Amino acid sequence: MLILPTILFAALLGACQSDEAADKTEADKAPAEEKASEAYTVKDDRGQELTFEQAPETIVSLIPSNTEIVYALGEGDKLIGATDYDNYPEEAKKVERVSDSVAFNAERILEMKPDVVLAYSTGEVAPELAQLEDADIPVFVIQSATSFDEVYGDIEQIASVLAAEEKGEELVKDIQTQIQDVQDKLAAVEEKKDVYMEISPSPEIYTTGKSTFQQEILNHAQVENVFEDLEGWPNISEEEVITRDPEIILTTVSYVEDAIGDIKARESWSTVEAIEDGDVYFVDSDITSRPGPRIGEAVQLVAETVYPELMEK
């Protein structure tokens, strides 16, 4: 994480201060927009260096988390292209759709001629991006985040691309403060509750495991993920949930009519503690599934769901 330190200048004695020093002081006070007009170079997660003569004025984002970061940095008015799933904040819904988060409309993006395309990678870079780069459209690729530190890094990278480093620093600090506030309230937790998080329903059940940012959400909310021993987002069986017997079940599934009712109706799960006690809850899938600026809100949401009595204080 590249956090730029605040530089404090000592005042010189008035009688000895030269005109040159005074000029330098005035230069340091130059408005951010003037500094943003200077050429600068940034490096993406491919190791590719991109040089900008001035801060981008038009942006295309190919994943919702990057879109949310752009808005959180106060640069949302520069977005001219987004994905079908970009629904936060409300203004994002008005941005032209050029991608479904997997495939994108290269022809339309070429017509737009954006100053930068914010792309992403889950391991391999989409070969179609070369078509944009061959047309001299800057493409900045970010590796999909699997931890909070990587989310903070993504924020700082995008802030650097947009010549908004100070805003990036402030945003990261605000998120960290929100998470710390939650953890302060949960300091009284003596024994973490066992939680199962379902991100895809029966018959193809998927959950979250270690090496994911969702696992970090659960960690910071002081809950024990019953599938923390598994890697990534594993496909599991109903029998495995029965065996691990979670106290609480959280579901992020928003594309079925009644996700909670579906879980409670699974006949073989009738003896699971969470089912017996009625502790099955829906948590907003966008907030808990996007490695972006709302991770602090995600921690708070899970904490409020699992430990409502502590979070009300």
Side-chain angles (χ1 to χ4, degrees):
M1 294 171 60
L2 302 176
I3 304 295
L4 299 178
T6 302
I7 302 175
L8 300 177
F9 291 97
L12 297 175
L13 291 175
C16 300
Q17 184 176 26
S18 67
D19 290 340
E20 181 180 352
D23 291 341
K24 182 178 180 181
T25 302
E26 289 303 312
D28 288 329
K29 294 179 180 179
E33 54 267 25
E34 289 184 18
K35 292 183 179 180
S37 67
E38 300 172 359
Y40 57 95
T41 300
V42 292
K43 183 184 292 186
D44 70 6
D45 285 343
R46 299 172 295 177
Q48 187 79 32
E49 289 189 341
L50 286 79
T51 298
F52 296 92
E53 295 301 321
Q54 60 182 20
E57 290 296 326
T58 53
I59 305 165
V60 167
S61 173
L62 299 181
I63 192 170
S65 54
N66 286 351
T67 299
E68 290 194 18
I69 290 173
V70 172
Y71 274 102
L73 291 171
E75 305 287 331
D77 60 330
K78 297 178 180 178
L79 278 164
I80 59 172
T83 80
D84 294 341
Y85 300 100
D86 287 9
N87 55 8
Y88 186 87
E90 191 69 22
E91 307 92 275
K93 297 179 181 179
K94 301 175 183 178
V95 180
E96 182 177 340
R97 274 34 189 160
V98 295
S99 169
D100 62 4
S101 288
V102 178
F104 58 87
N105 187 338
E107 290 185 6
R108 178 58 184 141
I109 295 174
L110 289 171
E111 290 173 354
M112 290 176 160
K113 297 181 180 179
D115 293 333
V116 67
V117 172
L118 298 176
Y120 73 99
S121 166
T122 55
E124 295 184 1
V125 178
E128 294 83 1
L129 292 175
Q131 185 178 351
L132 304 180
E133 292 179 310
D134 290 344
D136 293 326
I137 294 177
V139 176
F140 191 87
V141 177
I142 290 179
Q143 181 79 22
S144 184
T146 59
S147 70
F148 280 13
D149 281 344
E150 289 182 2
V151 172
Y152 300 144
D154 291 351
I155 291 171
E156 288 162 355
Q157 283 182 296
I158 292 176
S160 295
V161 170
L162 304 182
E165 289 90 342
E166 289 186 7
K167 292 179 182 177
E169 292 174 29
E170 292 172 3
L171 178 56
V172 169
K173 288 178 182 177
D174 288 345
I175 296 169
Q176 292 172 333
T177 297
Q178 183 179 18
I179 293 172
Q180 187 59 55
D181 287 345
V182 172
Q183 293 187 311
D184 289 344
K185 290 182 178 180
L186 299 181
V189 174
E190 295 181 357
E191 187 174 348
K192 297 179 180 180
K193 291 191 177 182
D194 290 334
V195 171
Y196 157 63
M197 178 179 277
E198 184 165 293
I199 59 176
S200 177
S202 181
E204 292 295 321
I205 301 177
Y206 282 83
T207 187
T208 189
K210 61 185 176 182
S211 302
T212 67
F213 75 92
Q214 285 177 319
Q215 177 61 55
E216 284 215 50
I217 291 172
L218 299 178
N219 288 344
H220 285 81
Q222 297 298 308
V223 301
E224 195 76 38
N225 179 7
V226 296
F227 285 100
E228 186 176 1
D229 58 310
L230 302 184
E231 189 85 20
W233 288 275
N235 180 203
I236 59 172
S237 67
E238 292 193 14
E239 289 72 22
E240 288 178 279
V241 177
I242 297 169
T243 300
R244 303 196 183 210
D245 195 23
E247 298 173 76
I248 292 176
I249 294 176
L250 304 177
T251 175
T252 66
V253 178
S254 59
Y255 52 87
V256 298
E257 185 174 346
D258 182 10
I260 293 176
D262 174 69
I263 291 172
K264 289 182 176 180
R266 294 171 192 168
E267 187 174 347
S268 61
W269 285 19
S270 60
T271 59
V272 173
E273 183 176 349
I275 301 296
E276 288 185 320
D277 295 341
D279 287 327
V280 182
Y281 307 98
F282 172 77
V283 289
D284 189 285
S285 56
D286 291 342
I287 296 174
T288 57
S289 302
R290 295 178 181 176
R294 290 194 286 172
I295 54 174
E297 190 175 340
V299 172
Q300 182 172 329
L301 177 59
V302 172
E304 289 173 343
T305 303
V306 178
Y307 304 108
E309 67 288 350
L310 294 177
M311 292 299 294
E312 288 175 359
K313 295 180 179 180

